[in-house]
Amino acid sequence: VIRCRAAVAWAVGKPLSVEEVEVAPPKAGEVRVKIVATGICRTDDHILEGCFPNVDFPVIPGHEGAGIVESVGDGVTSVKPGDKVIPISLPRCGECSFCLNPESNYCLKSHFSGSQSLLPDKTSRFTCKGKQVHHFLWVSTFAEYTVIPEYAVAKIDAAAPLDKVCLLGCGFPTGYGAAINTAKVKPGSTCAVFGVGGVGLSVVMGCKAAGASRIIAIDINKDKFAKAKELGATDCISPHDFKKPIQEVLTEMTGDGVDYSFEVIGHADTITAALASCNMNTGVCVMVGVPASGSVISVDPMLLLSGRTWKGTLLGGWKMRDCIPKLVSSYLEKKFNLDLLITHTLPIAKVNEGFELLRAGKSIRSVLLF
């Protein structure tokens, strides 16, 4: 058993508490990882707000981390102690019908088909003050040491800086892949990105990499526009500056709507606006943001009848366990620059300060270091 620090969420609506926790050794098929760095993602904030009914408290959040394998359980062959790894919140068992489908990146063992508050054997490896503490998405990267199923860990290049590539655990591949894999943005096309936080800016980077000629960033926080333009946005607009619906503004700006729109907020009204803003015949709208559990969206069926395509994406469509090592290599080859997304680096003791920066719209990505 290892005793270490972790940021524990004891209840909905309460700040995280940095505690000493006990982390049990890995069982068969599991890996214990020393987390070096972890990003703060909006999804972690959704946990604290109680948006996910299948998350049990107390829980150690965090799902955008990078670290070093400390030990492995029986039967683990893909990683060994000392390997650098990125835990992945969308696992890949390699055996289910979805994993075997070349067009799918989902795994039937993952959290949408059942709670991931406990490891697959329905037990926890965390205790604190004599109480069981739950896992989050099987990764819980807000703990200095965490135990993860082998099929939710990706081995990466030993040269990778963990305080940068931790973003490849969620935010960057989700946005970048939404443009590259899910929408399949074509050169010369027009794109609209609703919400330009860390994931939205990664969508902008993906649209630019795909050769889009016009990338319109939409956000109510104008402080984010300079970074959006630095990363490839050609236009930046705020809905607050117009009296008419934003989809009408975008249609007027582009003639007949954009070729691709991306909703990276998770609100019902912006999801329908994003759908309506792409052109009626061949436009593609991709849902990237996560709506609160139980949300309902009302849509005029004529928006789809004329030919629009409406799609969702999970982790940008990447088969994460296979693709993360390749994305790390692309980062090391300077094919994209993750560093531009990191605005704050904080010690784990200041985890709540990182969430305040997120909620105030003052950060793109804050990285916590142990």
Side-chain angles (χ1 to χ4, degrees):
V1 174
I2 287 177
R3 288 177 173 80
C4 65
R5 291 168 299 162
V8 179
W10 289 102
V12 170
K14 297 289 177 63
L16 287 160
S17 178
V18 177
E19 309 273 8
E20 182 181 83
V21 300
E22 294 84 40
V23 185
K27 296 183 181 180
E30 296 175 354
V31 180
R32 187 159 61 181
V33 177
K34 175 179 172 56
I35 297 295
V36 173
T38 179
I40 296 177
C41 176
R42 179 68 72 177
T43 302
D44 298 311
D45 196 33
H46 289 335
I47 300 170
L48 305 181
E49 294 170 343
C51 293
F52 300 131
N54 62 345
V55 173
D56 296 320
F57 287 80
V59 62
I60 297 174
H63 63 286
E64 193 177 81
I68 299 166
V69 175
E70 178 270 334
S71 59
V72 299
D74 291 343
V76 171
T77 58
S78 62
V79 295
K80 63 184 185 303
D83 284 346
K84 285 187 176 180
V85 294
I86 290 178
I88 49 176
S89 53
L90 195 58
R92 179 157 161 70
C93 74
E95 300 170 352
C96 70
S97 59
F98 284 5
C99 281
L100 295 173
N101 181 343
E103 296 183 1
S104 164
N105 75 320
Y106 190 64
C107 174
L108 289 172
K109 290 189 176 179
S110 60
H111 53 284
F112 285 107
S113 52
S115 171
Q116 284 185 319
S117 291
L118 297 170
L119 291 184
D121 70 350
K122 304 304 179 190
T123 63
S124 170
R125 302 293 167 270
F126 297 125
T127 53
C128 181
K129 298 177 179 176
K131 294 182 179 179
Q132 173 182 276
V133 177
H134 295 92
H135 296 249
F136 177 59
L137 305 183
W138 292 344
V139 292
S140 291
T141 59
F142 286 2
E144 191 172 6
Y145 287 85
T146 184
V147 177
I148 309 167
E150 180 184 13
Y151 53 78
V153 174
K155 180 181 174 181
I156 61 170
D157 194 311
L162 299 179
D163 60 334
K164 304 294 191 293
V165 299
C166 59
L167 267 59
L168 293 173
C170 176
F172 178 79
T174 295
Y176 195 77
I180 301 286
N181 300 328
T182 308
K184 295 180 171 59
V185 170
K186 294 177 182 174
S189 59
T190 56
C191 303
V193 183
F194 287 72
V196 283
V199 179
L201 289 171
S202 301
V203 175
V204 170
M205 293 168 76
C207 293
K208 183 180 180 183
S213 62
R214 195 172 185 190
I215 304 168
I216 305 168
I218 303 113
D219 205 298
I220 58 174
N221 183 353
K222 294 183 180 181
D223 291 343
K224 295 180 178 177
F225 289 170
K227 180 69 75 173
K229 289 197 171 179
E230 181 185 359
L231 294 175
T234 55
D235 306 78
C236 295
I237 60 174
S238 167
H240 289 169
D241 290 342
F242 303 93
K243 292 181 179 178
K244 60 181 68 174
I246 196 67
Q247 57 265 40
E248 293 181 21
V249 175
L250 289 164
T251 300
E252 289 176 7
M253 286 175 70
T254 55
D256 51 11
V258 295
D259 298 308
Y260 305 95
S261 64
F262 302 85
E263 200 279 351
V264 204
I265 303 166
H267 290 169
D269 54 347
T270 44
I271 290 171
T272 52
L275 179 63
S277 69
C278 60
N279 84 66
M280 66 167 59
N281 187 220
T282 58
V284 176
C285 174
V286 180
M287 286 176 56
V288 187
V290 181
S293 178
S295 296
V296 176
I297 301 167
S298 297
V299 173
D300 180 350
M302 289 303 292
L303 287 173
L304 297 168
L305 193 64
S306 53
R308 286 181 181 89
T309 300
W310 196 13
K311 308 180 80 169
T313 187
L314 280 172
L315 273 297
W318 306 100
K319 286 183 181 288
M320 290 288 279
R321 197 152 185 251
D322 299 340
C323 294
I324 286 287
K326 297 172 186 174
L327 285 169
V328 168
S329 296
S330 294
Y331 167 76
L332 293 172
E333 292 162 9
K334 295 183 166 49
K335 291 184 178 175
F336 50 78
N337 190 354
L338 288 177
D339 305 17
L340 295 173
L341 296 173
I342 300 170
T343 52
H344 298 78
T345 302
L346 303 165
I348 187 65
K350 293 188 176 180
V351 58
N352 289 309
E353 186 178 311
F355 277 94
E356 289 306 318
L357 289 165
L358 175 72
R359 293 167 190 144
K362 293 179 179 177
S363 64
I364 300 300
R365 262 303 187 269
S366 293
V367 172
L368 301 171
L369 301 179
F370 284 96

